[in-house]
Amino acid sequence: MPIVAQEIIDRVRQVGLDAEGADYYSDTVDIIPSINAAVEWLTAIINSAFGQKKMGEEVFQDLVAARVFQASDNSRIYLNPSDLGHELWTILGVYVKPKVKEGGWLIGTLSGVQVSPTAPKAIFVYPSTTDLSVVTAGSTVAFTYKDKTTGVETTTSFIVQAVNNNTKAILVDTSPITDLGAFLNIGDTVTAKAIYLKASITSTPIIDTLATPDNSIYRPDLVHISSEHSAKRLTVEEWAKNSKNPFMAGNEVLSSGCDTLVYAYMNYTDYGAPNMPYTIPREIEIRPSVKNEAVTVFYARRPKPIVTGTDNIEFPGFFSNWIFDKALQYISFKQGDGTTIYNVTAADINTLLQSVT
Amino acid sequence: MATTTYRYLANDVLETFRQLSDDAEIGLTQVVFWINVIANRLRKQHIQKVDTGTHLVIFQNVPVSIEVNSNRKYFDLPKSIYDYGNDRGIDYITYQDITDCCEGPAFTEIMFSQTSVRNSRTLYYDPYQTPASTNPFFYRVKNRVYMLGLECIDVPNGLEMGLYTTIDITESGCNLDDQVDLDDELITILKYEVLNLGRFALIIPNERINEGSDQTTQAIRANQIEVPAINQPKDYVRVNDAQQQAE
């Protein structure tokens, strides 16, 4: 549970300053800015302690997010704060080849289409990894088809008549199109993206090629479900050395289907060149290449500064003392060095710091 | 044949060494590599001791080629084989006499005999041994196998051969659900040997690993070698400590 800011404000006022009911200290001028400063200070402490594995991931419990991105042609991802709606603090994990769920239209990879001899019916066949258990008769299937002659694409909805999760086949009534044969022949296999299911399907998503190959995109339409491939973080030096070492993460020696392959990522780098139209501020890079593929990034976002007492301080409750002591210490700055509050809080803060550093 | 998969065996080794964290010093690829290295040795010894067809791999329709410069007939081994004396990694090579369609399978017909570059010369002294299409010989040079006696005929259906092939060290185990191609009773030895290899990896003191920081002011503990016990890998014994206790 996050900390309600008013609890800290009251504690600072009553316990620390002995100023309940007094207007000498103002919430907006003194206490809230001090709390925000304390949160920033705590952020720096956690950065250090977490990096040294002296704090667990539970310190981020109110700040952790998992978002799906589509990697650029260069296998890079830019976590754009304006797309995400918040600033990033630290990356906790990068997951490759995730199974995802789409909010409305869930996408299944189509591996084949057979037009039934008794049209208007068609069988859509999905890969063996697709979970069709959630698709039931009566679900809607949107089918994007292309006219053989004109090449014009049209999308039409079909009703699912039967589902076989063993053979991964769906039988649909194609009655809106009485002559599906004008578009597909019996036994045709469609390997491109053609079928979208409007039911919950968890699978590796179909990803279009990017409009601008150098720019990764955030995919707010995809929800991360699971992944078997976490990427290991490498330093800049390791990044080059590991490339041809089959025993190290991020190598390009093992084939991409190899179970023992471990992906890797390199932290933010600005790859921009002054004379090139490459203006992405900072990107993480993943290897082996996941060009245009979905990648899930688990990260902690920066805690939002509080504005009023009703806001939440986005840290777990066990950080109350840290924030209280540090906020009080910031207020004591105004009172001049050597005040009692300063010394008392400094001692408390040192005690807390020693427990994690 | 084995029923143990790479997934079970490799993860068992990692679990035994407590090397499952994200900063583990030994990775899955490395353990699978060790498994293949050791399994190859055990398989070679096992095949040598036990005369069964368990590990025999048959290749059919292997085409016969003609070497450009020497005009000699040959084929390249379709897979790497164990290097036994007298080329016994090749169990048999045979081809079918196409003039007789009522005979049994190829391996019941014309069988090649083994020779070598050095010994093949003497074959031509004896009319009963002279290589011919009905009495062909083969000799091996690296991964190429040459044939004597087929100079005047073609073998349109190719050759059939039974080989004792090795485990492909770099590819096998890529699918962790593949079975380790080793008899079940040898798995304990395999695991023991792999653990032994792992001990060498873990015996390297941390001080010799580049941490990227200058630690010249710290006492160098290079002589303190941590020896993980095979049965209790967590109970490291510091050699220096043990020596001090003994003293």
Side-chain angles (χ1 to χ4, degrees):
Chain A
M1 286 288 288
I3 305 161
V4 179
Q6 192 60 48
E7 289 176 10
I8 300 293
I9 293 171
D10 292 345
R11 218 169 130 192
V12 166
R13 200 175 269 284
Q14 295 163 8
V15 179
L17 300 172
D18 193 17
E20 60 271 32
D23 56 4
Y24 183 76
Y25 296 100
S26 155
D27 282 2
T28 51
V29 175
D30 301 305
I31 301 178
I32 289 177
S34 298
I35 289 173
N36 284 332
V39 167
E40 282 177 26
W41 171 84
L42 187 58
T43 303
I45 295 295
I46 291 175
N47 251 350
S48 168
F50 185 71
Q52 295 172 51
K53 298 194 170 183
K54 288 173 179 169
M55 275 189 180
E57 287 171 2
E58 64 269 23
V59 298
F60 302 115
Q61 58 188 256
D62 297 310
L63 300 164
V64 177
R67 298 285 186 267
V68 181
F69 298 82
Q70 181 174 347
S72 71
D73 277 19
N74 307 315
S75 191
R76 292 173 184 168
I77 290 173
Y78 170 41
L79 291 85
N80 190 345
S82 63
D83 289 345
L84 298 168
H86 45 249
E87 291 286 331
L88 262 72
W89 178 355
T90 184
I91 293 176
L92 300 174
V94 174
Y95 282 82
V96 178
K97 299 184 185 300
K99 291 191 185 306
V100 299
K101 182 179 282 189
E102 195 180 35
W105 288 87
L106 296 198
I107 304 169
T109 311
L110 180 73
S111 67
V113 170
Q114 291 176 313
V115 180
S116 166
T118 57
K121 287 193 176 115
I123 298 167
F124 300 150
V125 184
Y126 284 76
S128 57
T129 52
T130 310
D131 180 13
L132 294 177
S133 62
V134 290
V135 181
T136 54
S139 301
T140 309
V141 173
F143 176 32
T144 304
Y145 57 91
K146 184 185 280 188
D147 190 294
K148 280 179 182 172
T149 314
T150 63
V152 175
E153 288 191 5
T154 312
T155 301
T156 306
S157 292
F158 299 145
I159 303 296
V160 174
Q161 293 201 320
V163 181
N164 188 330
N165 200 23
N166 295 322
T167 59
K168 305 300 178 191
I170 299 175
L171 177 69
V172 296
D173 183 350
T174 59
S175 3
I177 304 171
T178 50
D179 185 16
L180 196 63
F183 308 100
L184 295 167
N185 296 317
I186 293 172
D188 263 0
T189 299
V190 179
T191 52
K193 179 185 72 174
I195 302 296
Y196 297 84
L197 287 176
K198 203 178 181 179
S200 292
I201 288 186
T202 302
S203 69
T204 306
I206 295 174
I207 297 286
D208 292 320
T209 52
L210 295 164
T212 46
D214 285 336
N215 288 68
S216 65
I217 53 171
Y218 168 45
R219 295 292 302 258
D221 54 325
L222 302 176
V223 178
H224 175 84
I225 299 298
S226 66
S227 172
E228 296 173 357
H229 303 278
S230 72
K232 184 178 171 66
R233 186 174 61 235
L234 298 184
T235 64
V236 177
E237 286 172 332
E238 286 172 329
W239 189 254
K241 284 176 66 177
N242 285 11
S243 174
K244 301 297 178 196
N245 184 342
F247 300 119
M248 300 304 286
N251 75 77
E252 293 176 311
V253 180
L254 299 180
S255 60
S256 62
C258 194
D259 286 347
T260 59
L261 176 66
V262 179
Y263 285 84
Y265 75 94
M266 186 166 63
N267 234 323
Y268 294 118
T269 304
D270 175 359
Y271 295 96
N275 296 334
M276 287 287 288
Y278 197 99
T279 55
I280 305 155
R282 57 188 178 280
E283 295 172 290
I284 61 168
E285 184 170 338
I286 297 152
R287 203 176 60 201
S289 175
V290 288
K291 173 185 173 182
N292 292 175
E293 290 181 28
V295 174
T296 304
V297 180
F298 284 72
Y299 62 87
R301 57 183 167 76
R302 277 197 177 282
K304 290 178 197 156
I306 59 165
V307 181
T308 68
T310 56
D311 289 344
N312 285 330
I313 300 169
E314 294 171 314
F315 277 114
F318 52 79
F319 279 116
S320 290
N321 274 340
W322 292 72
I323 295 167
F324 164 71
D325 274 324
K326 196 64 191 173
L328 208 50
Q329 194 178 47
Y330 282 126
I331 293 170
S332 76
F333 288 175
K334 296 177 180 177
Q335 300 175 345
D337 290 341
T339 61
T340 307
I341 291 176
Y342 181 86
N343 290 329
V344 169
T345 54
D348 270 1
I349 289 164
N350 275 338
T351 306
L352 292 167
L353 278 176
Q354 280 167 17
S355 66
V356 294
T357 55
Chain B
M1 293 294 286
T3 52
T4 310
T5 61
Y6 283 93
R7 185 180 302 281
Y8 276 83
L9 196 54
N11 283 307
D12 178 33
V13 169
L14 287 177
E15 177 72 35
T16 307
F17 278 128
R18 307 288 187 267
Q19 292 290 309
L20 291 168
S21 72
D22 55 348
D23 290 331
E25 291 170 25
I26 300 173
L28 204 54
T29 312
Q30 201 165 10
V31 174
V32 168
F33 180 75
W34 290 341
I35 288 172
N36 287 335
V37 168
I38 302 294
N40 258 337
R41 182 159 67 81
L42 295 176
R43 266 167 55 97
K44 184 177 181 184
Q45 292 169 347
H46 184 71
I47 293 168
Q48 212 163 15
K49 286 179 191 167
V50 184
D51 186 16
T52 70
T54 308
H55 297 287
L56 187 65
V57 181
I58 293 175
F59 295 86
Q60 292 174 320
N61 307 116
V62 178
V64 175
S65 308
I66 300 174
E67 204 170 58
V68 176
N69 293 330
S70 64
N71 215 28
R72 291 171 189 155
K73 289 193 172 172
Y74 76 93
F75 66 89
D76 287 326
L77 285 170
K79 277 197 77 178
S80 175
I81 62 172
Y82 291 112
D83 193 22
Y84 293 117
N86 297 323
D87 292 325
R88 272 180 286 124
I90 301 172
D91 191 55
Y92 72 87
I93 302 174
T94 184
Y95 76 97
Q96 201 160 19
D97 183 359
I98 57 169
T99 59
D100 186 354
C101 60
C102 299
E103 291 295 328
F107 55 81
T108 63
E109 294 204 10
I110 301 166
M111 190 78 76
F112 285 71
S113 303
Q114 188 271 342
T115 184
S116 66
V117 177
R118 180 180 291 275
N119 294 334
S120 56
R121 182 165 168 264
T122 58
L123 298 173
Y124 290 90
Y125 291 142
D126 183 347
Y128 294 104
Q129 280 198 323
T130 300
S133 60
T134 52
N135 182 37
F137 283 78
F138 73 88
Y139 61 91
R140 181 184 177 191
V141 179
K142 295 192 172 176
N143 267 352
R144 184 161 285 188
V145 178
Y146 294 90
M147 284 154 289
L148 296 173
L150 296 189
E151 289 79 4
C152 298
I153 65 158
D154 290 328
V155 187
N157 294 335
L159 304 170
E160 179 178 318
M161 60 197 67
L163 306 176
Y164 291 109
T165 58
T166 59
I167 294 172
D168 188 332
I169 288 179
T170 57
E171 289 295 327
S172 297
C174 213
N175 180 351
L176 289 173
D177 291 320
D178 284 348
Q179 291 172 344
V180 181
D181 195 5
L182 191 70
D183 298 79
D184 274 338
E185 69 270 20
L186 297 173
I187 294 295
T188 52
I189 304 172
L190 176 68
K191 187 187 169 187
Y192 178 84
E193 293 292 333
V194 171
L195 288 176
N196 244 342
L197 281 179
R199 290 177 78 208
F200 284 108
L202 293 173
I203 217 169
I204 306 296
N206 287 334
E207 287 75 13
R208 292 181 190 164
I209 295 170
N210 178 17
E211 293 175 344
S213 60
D214 183 5
Q215 297 184 328
T216 50
T217 54
Q218 293 184 6
I220 295 172
R221 297 158 57 214
N223 292 329
Q224 289 188 329
I225 294 174
E226 292 176 341
V227 183
I230 252 189
N231 296 323
Q232 294 167 302
K234 285 191 80 175
D235 298 339
Y236 289 3
V237 178
R238 286 195 181 279
V239 170
N240 281 7
D241 293 349
Q243 284 173 349
Q244 285 170 6
Q245 283 173 6
E247 288 164 4

